[in-house]
DNA sequence: GGATTTTAGTTGATACTACAAGTAACTATG
DNA sequence: CATAGTTACTTGTAGTATCAACTAAAATCC
């Protein structure tokens, strides 16, 4: 429980002191930056960041106001909205990435042996799958 | 990251559907219920729940309004405030505990082998200590 | 081919959290 | 013994998250 309490807060504050992004904001931008055309449909982006569509929508609205993302209606499906990373958003990601990498390295990687780090991945995966099972069929 | 996103939310919602407590609320009440005289100084309670004093103060205010906790000034140090679990608060913990236990069992314990569960404890401990080091001396 | 359901996303109210500033009591120091 | 500093906690504010309700487009079903 201490881990769940402290680690998100720590990830956030290390990032926010230096840049002005939430850790979640960063993940949204980073995911877009890696996508083809720097574009992802909202649903796809929500899945990759494990966020609700509602939460994502609010956050994208904010990031859009800051000029890092734009929205456009999908050509194939008029219900769908694509989030597109702007040039300015791309530059933001590039500028922020080193800080993010270092905070993760400091907080997690350096604290563990390589084997423990691997184990953590396996364990987290199992728990996450468990949660997804349970929330899929209530 | 998915773990950090999903697990707290999952812990919360399983508990909130059935009872009307946040997972953090529960931890506050549970810690008090295990303390001698069902009483803890705010600072001590904050440390046990790994929360800031500010956060705790807000939450205790709410729990106090619901009649589960009362505050009293410490006899030894007039700066210090003790949080005391009321009878009604005690009953709330007793009523809630089974749900809490089962949700943790479902979400975490059942997903892992005993050895993995142990490893998770070790790994979480190392990361938490790391965070505490880093936030102690900035 | 029109009615119903599902999917995709948005929005507004409410509630929680974090940060910063403030108060009051205690301690140490010259 | 006054005063400077620390400790313990509270409170206001502003930003985020969550939930429920809503709109609109697409798919499905007689």
């Amino acid at each position: 429980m201490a881990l769940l309490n402290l680690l998100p807060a720590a990830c956030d504050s290390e990032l926010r002191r230096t840049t002005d992004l939430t850790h979640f904001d960063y993940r949204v931008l980073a995911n877009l930056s890696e996508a083809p055309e720097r574009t992802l449909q909202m649903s796809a982006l929500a899945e990759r960041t494990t966020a609700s569509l509602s939460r994502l929508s609010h956050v994208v609205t904010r990031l859009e106001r800051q000029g890092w993302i734009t929205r456009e209606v999908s050509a194939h499906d008029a219900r769908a909205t694509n989030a597109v990373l702007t040039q300015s958003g791309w530059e933001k990601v590039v500028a922020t990435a080193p800080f993010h990498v270092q905070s993760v390295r400091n907080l997690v990687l350096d604290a563990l042996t390589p084997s423990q780090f691997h184990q953590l991945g396996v364990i987290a995966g199992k728990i996450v799958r468990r949660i997804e099972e349970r929330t899929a069929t209530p």
Side-chain angles (χ1 to χ4, degrees), chain A residues 47-64:
Chain A
E47 196 174 347
R48 282 166 206 234
T49 54
T50 58
S52 70
L53 217 39
S54 166
R55 179 182 184 184
L56 181 64
S57 180
H58 282 296
V59 170
V60 167
T61 301
R62 183 157 43 79
L63 297 177
E64 201 176 11

Side-chain angles (χ1 to χ4, degrees), chain A residues 67-138:
Chain A
W68 295 323
I69 289 183
T70 54
R71 289 185 220 231
E72 55 185 32
V73 177
S74 163
H76 306 301
D77 184 340
R79 292 171 301 181
T81 308
N82 291 330
V84 186
L85 195 66
T86 63
Q87 180 59 27
S88 152
W90 169 262
E91 284 159 15
K92 187 70 185 172
V93 173
V94 170
T96 306
F99 294 100
H100 172 254
V101 168
Q102 205 192 342
S103 78
V104 171
R105 179 179 301 282
N106 277 330
L107 292 170
V108 179
L109 258 173
D110 289 355
L112 305 176
T113 68
S115 150
Q116 283 177 327
F117 182 64
H118 175 255
Q119 270 299 303
L120 179 56
V122 174
I123 291 170
K126 284 179 106 173
I127 297 176
V128 168
R129 263 191 301 286
R130 183 99 193 166
I131 293 173
E132 280 166 350
E133 278 168 26
R134 283 185 74 70
T135 49
T137 51

